[in-house]
């Protein structure tokens, strides 16, 4: 969450108009997946969204480390999208990130991204708990 927050903080100061347009398109495609209740489609566009964020940090080391960690956590990030209501919640979090980037608000972009990524661990834990058989 902290690595991605750092990417967002830098991106808020450095993102190009073209990259903002790409981010909006990725977000629109995420919304289409939410509307279709397609968690796999959402996950694909979510990856694109985050990759743009990493790139726009303008820091290649931070970008590479974020990508490395993203790949390592991929199975967990994907599963948490199956928690009831998570797609809609994730979409709302994306919107907050985009708004902060558009405003050039580094602190808000970092905070929105940190919250977006940190909540995934909580959602994953809730999913795992829901898969355990109920006590008799």
């Amino acid at each position: 969450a902290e690595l991605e927050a750092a990417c967002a903080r830098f991106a808020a100061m450095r993102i190009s108009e073209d990259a903002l347009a790409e981010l909006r398109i990725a977000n629109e495609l995420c919304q289409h997946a939410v509307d279709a209740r397609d968690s796999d489609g959402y996950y694909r566009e979510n990856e694109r969204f985050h990759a743009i964020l990493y790139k726009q940090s303008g820091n290649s080391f931070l970008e590479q480390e974020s990508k490395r960690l993203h790949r390592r956590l991929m199975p967990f990030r994907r599963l948490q999208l199956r928690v009831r209501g998570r797609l809609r919640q994730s979409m709302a979090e994306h919107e907050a990130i985009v708004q902060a980037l558009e405003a050039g608000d580094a602190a808000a972009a970092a905070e929105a991204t940190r919250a977006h990524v940190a909540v995934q661990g909580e959602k994953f834990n809730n999913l795992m708990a829901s898969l355990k058989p109920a006590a008799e």
Side-chain angles (χ1 to χ4, degrees):
E2 290 302 322
L3 284 177
E4 293 205 30
C7 286
R9 182 175 30 263
F10 289 131
M13 297 179 280
R14 300 173 177 167
I15 194 165
S16 69
E17 286 300 321
D18 288 344
L20 268 174
E22 282 184 60
L23 203 60
R24 287 184 200 107
I25 290 168
N27 229 21
E28 287 174 23
L29 294 171
C30 282
Q31 184 61 59
H32 293 310
V34 170
D35 295 343
R37 297 183 182 171
D38 177 8
S39 64
D40 291 334
Y42 185 88
Y43 185 78
R44 282 189 303 276
E45 292 308 323
N46 181 63
E47 271 193 292
R48 181 175 167 202
F49 179 93
H50 285 268
I52 294 166
L53 190 62
Y54 305 156
K55 179 82 172 163
Q56 291 304 304
S57 73
N59 182 313
S60 61
F61 176 78
L62 187 56
E63 176 187 2
Q64 293 309 311
E65 288 302 302
S66 296
K67 283 181 178 179
R68 184 183 62 75
L69 189 56
H70 189 96
R71 280 190 302 273
R72 185 171 185 177
L73 297 174
M74 195 176 286
F76 308 105
R77 290 178 86 143
R78 188 175 202 129
L79 278 177
Q80 57 87 29
L81 291 173
R82 295 188 180 158
V83 172
R84 186 172 45 87
R86 179 63 189 139
L87 288 177
R88 285 187 311 280
Q89 180 186 10
S90 182
M91 191 66 226
E93 293 160 4
H94 275 200
E95 290 293 336
I97 293 166
V98 171
Q99 287 175 3
L101 292 171
E102 289 174 334
D105 187 336
E111 184 52 40
T113 302
R114 181 182 299 106
H116 172 61
V117 176
V119 77
Q120 293 175 29
E122 174 191 326
K123 296 301 180 184
F124 181 76
N125 286 333
N126 290 343
L127 176 65
M128 292 297 98
S130 75
L131 297 177
K132 293 178 184 173
E136 294 179 19

